Amino acid sequence: MSTKSRQGPSQKEENISHNVRLIPVYIMGKRYLVPETLTIMKAMEYAGYRFIRGCGCRGGICGACATVYRKPGDYHIYIGLACQTVVEPDMYLTQIPFYPANRARYDFARLSAKPEEIFKLYPEVFRCLACNTCTKSCPMDVPVMDVISAIKQGNIEKAARLSFSCIQCGLCVSRCMGELPQYHIAQLARRIYGSKIAPRAPHLAQAVEKANSEGCQETLKKLMKLEEKELRNVYQAREIEPEMVGEDWTPAGRDYL
Ligand code: SF4
Ligand code: SF4
Ligand code: FES
């Protein structure tokens, strides 16, 4: 959610933007002139809105800035992330920073890896009408309807893999005529897959073993005894991974490995 802290750009501000074309956009029904190069989020700030909700990472990751808009002469409903979508002339837009979606309560440790667990917690999966509106609403290109279909078919791994890019923006939920909370359902599938179905990675077991080794524990104890300032110094003096380095980079200093 955002609040309006001042009026839209003044004539002076418009003149300041002499190198950039200003275009009209309608934010919650009111017309503003904004630079054509801005994202919706920046255009709203340019127009005088201050984000107190509906803005997090500004990098397309957190899902806080779900936005819907329409364009003149076009019946489609468009969706996007305000921090990623560039404004277009005459677009009518608003943000939906939060959309209610019931999340089932469960004791995850007691759940089995059977799909029936999901069916019990989210019986509404069977209300899906396969309209595919959720898929068309997703700014992350998650095939949301296929995720729900996979769950109905009992294929938790498929649902988990297909929904990996979900950022929980809520746009699919806002459009679902079956009234499903798709992102919570998919998240449960990913949790079950990650915790109870996916094979254990050998390198993880090795890393845990190493972390429990005497040498590593000693180093950890030494670090825990440091004052905050000393700890900061150690952190700041650490060997930093160079840019553009391959995946198998390891620091020359082995003190903390
Ligand atoms: S929008 Fe809802 S009803 Fe339509 S396909 Fe997606 S989950 Fe099913
Ligand atoms: S699956 Fe739904 S909640 Fe997840 S990113 Fe796509 S639209 Fe947003
Ligand atoms: S602010 Fe995080 S996705 Fe837009």
Side-chain angles (χ1 to χ4, degrees), residues 12-31:
K12 189 174 159 211
E13 284 172 307
E14 288 174 24
N15 292 339
I16 288 170
S17 308
H18 53 276
N19 285 329
V20 182
R21 193 166 70 100
L22 296 174
I23 57 169
V25 297
Y26 294 81
I27 302 169
M28 287 182 273
K30 188 167 176 195
R31 186 175 188 270

Side-chain angles (χ1 to χ4, degrees), residues 41 54-65 81-83 167:
M41 183 168 280
C55 173
C57 65
R58 290 176 181 263
I61 302 292
C62 74
C65 62
L81 297 171
C83 69
I167 54 171

Side-chain angles (χ1 to χ4, degrees), residues 148-205:
I148 298 299
S149 298
I151 289 172
K152 283 159 66 181
Q153 291 158 16
N155 193 337
I156 295 178
E157 176 174 355
K158 187 174 176 188
R161 288 188 185 281
L162 289 178
S163 65
F164 187 76
S165 306
C166 172
I167 54 171
Q168 308 217 319
C169 70
L171 279 163
C172 55
V173 178
S174 75
R175 304 290 315 280
C176 178
M177 66 172 73
E179 300 170 305
L180 277 69
Q182 295 98 323
Y183 63 85
H184 287 320
I185 300 170
Q187 186 184 52
L188 177 55
R190 290 196 301 280
R191 282 182 174 158
I192 291 179
Y193 176 69
S195 172
K196 301 172 195 285
I197 298 175
R200 303 293 97 182
H203 64 274
L204 179 62

Side-chain angles (χ1 to χ4, degrees), residues 23-26 34 36 38 40 69 71 78 85-93:
I23 57 169
V25 297
Y26 294 81
V34 298
E36 65 177 346
L38 297 184
I40 289 173
Y69 58 96
K71 302 191 238 179
Y78 291 89
T85 310
V86 175
V87 287
E88 292 179 54
D90 292 317
M91 71 197 308
Y92 267 72
L93 66 94

